[in-house]
Amino acid sequence: MIEWADFERVALHIGTVVKAEIFEGARKPSIKVWVDLGDLGIKKSSAQITQHYQPETLVGKQVVCVCNFPPKQIGNFISEVLVTGFPDQNGHVVLSTVDKPVPNGMRLF
């Protein structure tokens, strides 16, 4: 079991994908995404989500991101947030999202 304070340490925020492109040269098939997180700004992420998503289907989609991990170098790209998801029955990531639009940058309660 964790304490409430442990949960509060993870900054989970909603944002809207404003740009997405195939990550050419990545070791594992990935998509680069730019997520508008409201007051937190536009942040970049690399996501291994090519089984269910194409870049053109991601723009406009709201996604849940972990925003307080340190930046991570992935090849020639700096990932600033972690876009979250759940594995399907084959282990392919399905993005965490919301069922109604909410303002970018809102934090998960």
Side-chain angles (χ1 to χ4, degrees):
M1 295 295 184
I2 66 171
E3 299 294 325
W4 181 256
D6 297 323
F7 173 72
E8 288 181 315
R9 291 183 59 216
V10 181
L12 292 162
H13 293 264
I14 193 79
T16 301
V17 176
V18 294
K19 179 180 174 184
E21 61 187 45
I22 294 294
F23 191 162
E24 299 292 340
R27 286 186 302 164
K28 295 182 180 178
S30 303
I31 298 175
K32 294 179 187 177
V33 294
W34 286 258
V35 182
D36 180 352
L37 290 155
D39 290 342
L40 299 174
I42 295 175
K43 303 291 184 181
K44 301 179 294 185
S45 186
S46 172
Q48 296 174 14
I49 55 174
T50 57
Q51 292 294 324
H52 290 298
Y53 305 96
Q54 294 298 314
E56 58 274 8
T57 66
L58 292 170
V59 175
K61 180 178 280 299
Q62 286 198 295
V63 293
V64 178
C65 301
V66 177
C67 296
N68 60 339
F69 281 136
K72 183 175 182 179
Q73 183 84 41
I74 302 172
N76 62 356
F77 188 73
I78 301 285
S79 186
E80 300 171 300
V81 296
L82 173 69
V83 175
T84 64
F86 295 92
D88 68 9
Q89 66 275 10
N90 297 312
H92 304 301
V93 176
V94 175
L95 291 171
S96 300
T97 188
V98 291
D99 65 349
K100 293 186 180 14
V102 295
N104 288 335
M106 289 290 101
R107 189 166 180 173
L108 181 80
F109 285 95

